Amino acid sequence: MNNSAVKIGVIGLGPRAETLLATLRSLPQDECQVTAICDLNTERIEKICNIFKANSLVVPAAYTDYKKLIADPEVQAVLIPTSWNSHLAIAADVMKAGKYAAIEVGGAASLDELWQLVHNSENFGGKCMMLENCCYGRNELMVLNMVRQGLLGEIVHCSCGYEHDIAYELVDENGCTSERAIHNLKRNGDLYPTHGLGPIAKILNINNGNRFLSISSFASKSCGFKSYAQKVNSPVTDFAIGDVITSVIKCANGETITLTHGISLPRPYSRDCRVQGTNGIWLEDADGIFINGISETKTEIDVAGNPYYSHVWDKTEKFYEKYDHPIWQEFRNNPTGGHGGMDTLALRAFFESVRKGTTPPIDVYDCAAWMAVTCLSEQSIALGGIPVAFPDFTNGKWIYAKDDSDF
Amino acid sequence: MNNSAVKIGVIGLGPRAETLLATLRSLPQDECQVTAICDLNTERIEKICNIFKANSLVVPAAYTDYKKLIADPEVQAVLIPTSWNSHLAIAADVMKAGKYAAIEVGGAASLDELWQLVHNSENFGGKCMMLENCCYGRNELMVLNMVRQGLLGEIVHCSCGYEHDIAYELVDENGCTSERAIHNLKRNGDLYPTHGLGPIAKILNINNGNRFLSISSFASKSCGFKSYAQKVNSPVTDFAIGDVITSVIKCANGETITLTHGISLPRPYSRDCRVQGTNGIWLEDADGIFINGISETKTEIDVAGNPYYSHVWDKTEKFYEKYDHPIWQEFRNNPTGGHGGMDTLALRAFFESVRKGTTPPIDVYDCAAWMAVTCLSEQSIALGGIPVAFPDFTNGKWIYAKDDSDF
């Protein structure tokens, strides 16, 4: 074991932890070592310990009290793949201990839990990163790279979202049992904003010279889960969440962002990405990029004999060779780990911050701004779609802040 | 000349009239005969008369006062491809004369001009159709047909828009001279909503058991026209209109509609159509349709060994053979006329209504609801994005109304 390996504790040993640990095992051994694990459920602890044994790895210390794991002097940094209702409070406790925390994606229940996270980080020196793997998606990073090089011109509008039919995961013949299902049963808002919004926030320099100002949210009627429940003879019927939640965010620098959430209707997966500027556009659903001066513009003739112009999409992959982000130029030959390698890149960025003692590339202010979308969208929907304001979690620091990370 | 030919007057002889007349010439002669034309500008009248002569057609009566054209006893129906500021007032006068009017697409400046149109139609018996050619688009009609057959399940969310880079038409070295350019210079809202919204309104049965309740609109910053103006050394700089206008409409039956307008940025054309229900989705930008039970769902395995499902788009064209709307099943072998044949179909539907004395398939209430989007979106943007209410132009008739047209 190399001295540079980051010593990790993992709190919460559910399915997401299994995926994360599988990714950790695929990394070189000098990246990290899991020295402690924690769950309220001892069966889960046993299951995870058995995975370590089966892979001939040192079995970590086991805790059922997460505060003891945080206090463990061996533990430098904590991964927190726990439930949506607990991970922010646990991360706030890690901040208080002055250590590094990595939280999983999700949204906040209230602005208060985000302020606590921010205050504890500012007051006690702990640092927080959201493991938003989609920020490390190949297309997202390539487009960020192209935007930084000015190829798309001045950016004026973006869209993003999370559209993923997971009704089969949330509803079955026993009703709703998973935490995520119960949140969807009780809440009406964008419950899962960061896969789409994280990469767009980075592209728009949110908290680094720009910020989210307001959000307006709208819910369609709720039919998808009910329809699926009928098919599988599930006793659940009425979900609070609309099938498609649409939000529009206004930014300080004048950009608009359209954000969509939909997990109950059958359709192909999409993160709905669109990044549009004065010189070009990336549109995920068209699998296309158009850049003025690079992509083709055809001249055609209408029925009255007048010419008109017609722009033609280039395939996204056409730009990989030349414009892949430096992270992917290195990684593309051997992408390993969960979610097409994105998990690996997010974890590596976290470990590097811990090793160097630097602020992670997705920091506590990013966590707060992105996760605020969930409770703010609930409020806007409850109020009939009026815009509600984002707090400035940086207390003005965004105006001068400059991101010196890969983003 | 067959007796069934509808006798038409055309008011407004600009570029759109030339395209319309080209389409009319491509129709069989028993469909219609242009017996009168009108413009304030006599040079335009002369130009159009010369086109008639060049095509060996009877030259129509010419007027400079549109009220005289309306009063001409030969004229059964009036096409009004005039400016956005005048066509609703002229159509209201046609209503007053108890004749048929066909207006071009566009948006309203105020709710009042729409109420006048509605009241005149109700009080004096004239009938109005909007020549919204996109309602006759092959894909739009096919999806309507599929929705009516229940293939997409219960519809919960749609999107639509008009995204067309026409900066080169609106800005040149002389500045802004066209009417459309000047509207974009002075107004901030969705100035051109109906190409996207018309077909979606038909699919959602707006004014026939459903209606638009409210709209919330948001404008991105305005950089596109300015950037183009700099390129072509145009003296114009600051346009009022945001480059991308995003609106969300809520419907009485619980559906949401996202509507986008963007005409100043370089990108491929799109009407942004999306129609999504509990059993499937059409997404124009993906050129794809997914129908549960017809399209493919693959089972894949993640890094931790767990299965997940992945839905696969079918190409839109795969459904033409079986699901083309009856109108297109007949038309598809020989689509003639402007805009890929859509102009022909819209005009034919209008002529058929005149011939039979029936209500046109896109009627005065549709015109009012669709065109209200423009002034309401301006209001919402001016008020910071709060929802503003649609009036019920039917005064309650939408609750019981049933559309017996092709839609």
Side-chain angles (χ1 to χ4, degrees), chain A residues 109-122:
Chain A
S110 71
L111 297 180
D112 176 74
E113 60 179 347
L114 298 168
W115 278 119
Q116 284 189 47
L117 187 76
V118 167
H119 290 155
N120 279 7
S121 174
E122 290 175 342

Side-chain angles (χ1 to χ4, degrees), chain A residues 50-328:
Chain A
N50 287 335
I51 295 175
F52 276 81
K53 286 175 201 159
N55 286 279
S56 309
L57 294 166
V58 179
V59 176
Y63 299 94
T64 51
D65 177 350
Y66 79 80
K67 293 193 177 179
K68 289 189 178 155
L69 181 144
I70 294 172
D72 182 334
E74 275 282 280
V75 171
Q76 291 178 276
V78 184
L79 306 187
I80 315 172
T82 65
S83 69
W84 291 353
N85 266 4
S86 64
H87 63 166
L88 284 168
I90 297 171
D93 283 336
V94 177
M95 296 301 94
K96 214 166 186 172
K99 293 190 175 181
Y100 279 77
I103 57 169
E104 277 296 323
V105 304
S110 71
L111 297 180
D112 176 74
E113 60 179 347
L114 298 168
W115 278 119
Q116 284 189 47
L117 187 76
V118 167
H119 290 155
N120 279 7
S121 174
E122 290 175 342
N123 294 336
F124 303 103
K127 291 186 190 293
C128 182
M129 174 166 170
M130 184 192 293
L131 292 179
E132 182 38 87
N133 54 7
C134 296
C135 285
Y136 293 89
R138 185 175 192 173
N139 290 346
E140 284 88 341
L141 275 178
M142 177 176 75
V143 172
L144 178 136
N145 193 33
M146 292 170 77
V147 168
R148 295 288 182 266
Q149 292 185 35
L151 266 86
L152 278 75
E154 181 171 353
I155 304 302
V156 299
H157 177 71
C158 295
S159 75
C160 56
Y162 185 72
E163 309 223 43
H164 191 187
D165 176 10
I166 53 170
Y168 71 93
E169 280 186 22
L170 303 194
V171 178
D172 62 28
E173 66 279 12
N174 301 314
C176 282
T177 49
S178 74
E179 193 217 15
R180 190 168 186 176
I182 294 165
H183 278 253
N184 280 275
L185 196 65
K186 296 286 186 188
R187 302 170 72 184
N188 194 6
D190 191 320
L191 301 187
Y192 208 63
T194 68
H195 279 337
L197 192 58
I200 296 298
K202 286 299 178 185
I203 286 170
L204 292 178
N205 297 308
I206 297 302
N207 296 329
N208 292 286
N210 199 2
R211 80 174 192 92
F212 297 147
L213 287 181
S214 67
I215 185 170
S216 305
S217 299
F218 311 88
S220 78
K221 58 182 160 184
S222 179
C223 306
F225 285 129
K226 190 174 182 173
S227 159
Y228 184 81
Q230 286 167 347
K231 266 189 218 169
V232 298
N233 290 316
S234 175
V236 292
T237 53
D238 292 322
F239 280 72
I241 197 163
D243 289 317
V244 180
I245 307 291
T246 307
S247 302
V248 183
I249 295 173
K250 287 160 69 167
C251 301
N253 290 343
E255 307 90 345
T256 43
I257 306 170
T258 306
L259 175 66
T260 308
H261 176 273
I263 62 168
S264 57
L265 300 173
R267 57 155 291 161
Y269 180 94
S270 177
R271 293 201 290 275
D272 297 326
C273 290
R274 164 173 168 163
V275 178
Q276 184 166 21
T278 51
N279 202 53
I281 180 171
W282 168 45
L283 188 64
E284 177 186 2
D285 281 332
D287 189 16
I289 291 176
F290 179 88
I291 305 287
N292 224 8
I294 295 180
S295 307
E296 187 189 4
T297 296
K298 291 195 287 196
T299 305
E300 310 203 55
I301 303 294
D302 73 14
V303 71
N306 301 312
Y308 66 97
Y309 302 107
S310 159
H311 302 309
V312 185
W313 289 114
D314 279 318
K315 281 272 171 204
T316 307
E317 63 180 22
K318 188 179 149 181
F319 295 86
Y320 285 156
E321 178 62 30
K322 191 158 176 192
Y323 294 109
D324 256 337
H325 190 281
I327 291 177
W328 267 92

Side-chain angles (χ1 to χ4, degrees), chain B residues 269-297:
Chain B
Y269 180 94
S270 177
R271 293 201 290 275
D272 297 326
C273 289
R274 163 174 170 163
V275 177
Q276 184 167 20
T278 52
N279 202 56
I281 180 171
W282 168 46
L283 188 64
E284 177 187 2
D285 282 332
D287 190 16
I289 291 176
F290 179 88
I291 306 287
N292 223 8
I294 295 180
S295 307
E296 187 188 6
T297 296

Side-chain angles (χ1 to χ4, degrees), chain B residues 56-327:
Chain B
S56 308
L57 294 166
V58 179
V59 176
Y63 298 95
T64 51
D65 177 350
Y66 79 80
K67 293 193 176 177
K68 291 191 177 155
L69 181 145
I70 294 173
D72 182 334
E74 275 281 281
V75 170
Q76 291 177 275
V78 184
L79 307 186
I80 315 172
T82 64
S83 69
W84 291 352
N85 266 5
S86 64
H87 63 165
L88 284 167
I90 296 171
D93 282 337
V94 177
M95 296 300 94
K96 215 167 184 170
K99 294 189 175 182
Y100 280 77
I103 57 170
E104 277 296 322
V105 305
S110 72
L111 297 180
D112 175 74
E113 60 178 346
L114 297 168
W115 278 118
Q116 285 189 46
L117 186 75
V118 167
H119 290 154
N120 279 6
S121 174
E122 290 175 342
N123 294 336
F124 302 103
K127 292 187 189 295
C128 181
M129 174 166 170
M130 185 193 292
L131 292 179
E132 182 38 87
N133 54 6
C134 296
C135 286
Y136 292 89
R138 184 175 192 172
N139 291 345
E140 283 88 341
L141 275 178
M142 178 176 76
V143 171
L144 178 137
N145 193 33
M146 294 171 77
V147 168
R148 294 288 181 264
Q149 292 185 36
L151 267 86
L152 279 75
E154 181 172 352
I155 303 303
V156 299
H157 177 71
C158 295
S159 74
C160 55
Y162 185 72
E163 308 223 43
H164 191 186
D165 175 11
I166 52 170
Y168 71 91
E169 279 185 22
L170 303 195
V171 178
D172 62 28
E173 66 278 12
N174 301 314
C176 282
T177 49
S178 75
E179 193 217 14
R180 190 168 185 175
I182 293 165
H183 278 251
N184 280 275
L185 196 65
K186 296 287 185 187
R187 302 171 72 184
N188 193 6
D190 190 321
L191 301 189
Y192 207 63
T194 69
H195 279 337
L197 192 58
I200 296 299
K202 286 298 176 185
I203 286 170
L204 292 177
N205 297 308
I206 297 302
N207 296 330
N208 292 286
N210 200 3
R211 80 174 191 92
F212 298 146
L213 287 180
S214 67
I215 185 169
S216 305
S217 299
F218 311 89
S220 77
K221 59 183 161 183
S222 179
C223 306
F225 285 129
K226 189 173 182 173
S227 158
Y228 184 81
Q230 285 167 346
K231 267 189 218 168
V232 297
N233 289 317
S234 176
V236 291
T237 54
D238 293 321
F239 280 72
I241 197 162
D243 289 318
V244 180
I245 307 292
T246 306
S247 301
V248 183
I249 295 173
K250 288 161 70 166
C251 301
N253 290 343
E255 306 90 346
T256 42
I257 307 169
T258 307
L259 175 67
T260 308
H261 176 273
I263 62 169
S264 56
L265 300 172
R267 59 155 289 163
Y269 180 94
S270 177
R271 293 201 290 275
D272 297 326
C273 289
R274 163 174 170 163
V275 177
Q276 184 167 20
T278 52
N279 202 56
I281 180 171
W282 168 46
L283 188 64
E284 177 187 2
D285 282 332
D287 190 16
I289 291 176
F290 179 88
I291 306 287
N292 223 8
I294 295 180
S295 307
E296 187 188 6
T297 296
K298 292 193 287 196
T299 305
E300 310 202 56
I301 304 294
D302 73 13
V303 72
N306 302 312
Y308 66 97
Y309 302 107
S310 160
H311 302 309
V312 185
W313 289 115
D314 279 319
K315 280 271 172 204
T316 307
E317 63 181 21
K318 189 180 148 181
F319 295 85
Y320 286 155
E321 178 61 28
K322 192 159 176 190
Y323 294 108
D324 256 337
H325 189 281
I327 291 177

